[in-house]
Amino acid sequence: MRGYGLRMPTGQAIANHLGLTPLTAAQLKAAAASTTQASVLQSTGFLTRTPLWYYLLAEAKHHGGQRLGPVGSTIVAEVLIGLVRRSD
């Protein structure tokens, strides 16, 4: 809820901004740890407006669970590139 209050973009918004295909609601639901968690995702609307932190975890799980997915990898790479460019 804090992310929404701070107007942080959703995982789907970041994926779209990066020109990547966002995970579908079915893929996000499949990444849930339990049926209860999947039910909460459904009832809260998080399957279509997924908080970024959860989206990154679900994306990683969808892509095998050993590494970040495309959105998470891009965020990390952009941060590292930005740090290198700004270092003296």
Side-chain angles (χ1 to χ4, degrees), residues 14-15 18 52 56 59 68-81:
I14 295 291
L18 295 173
L52 183 58
L56 297 179
E59 182 186 58
L68 291 172
V71 173
S73 297
T74 301
I75 291 171
V76 171
E78 289 289 336
V79 168
L80 294 175
I81 289 168

Side-chain angles (χ1 to χ4, degrees), residues 8-80:
M8 281 190 72
T10 63
Q12 291 89 339
I14 295 291
N16 287 324
H17 180 75
L18 295 173
L20 301 169
T21 303
L23 295 176
T24 65
Q27 290 168 327
L28 288 164
K29 201 170 185 178
S34 67
T35 55
T36 302
Q37 189 179 53
S39 169
V40 170
L41 290 170
Q42 179 78 42
S43 66
T44 57
F46 282 176
L47 291 176
T48 55
R49 293 183 34 81
T50 311
L52 183 58
W53 67 270
Y54 185 84
Y55 184 91
L56 297 179
L57 294 173
E59 182 186 58
K61 185 172 181 180
H62 175 72
H63 289 282
Q66 299 299 313
R67 295 178 176 80
L68 291 172
V71 173
S73 297
T74 301
I75 291 171
V76 171
E78 289 289 336
V79 168
L80 294 175

Side-chain angles (χ1 to χ4, degrees), residues 77-88:
E78 289 289 336
V79 168
L80 294 175
I81 289 168
L83 290 171
V84 169
R85 286 184 176 165
R86 288 167 182 79
S87 68
D88 291 332

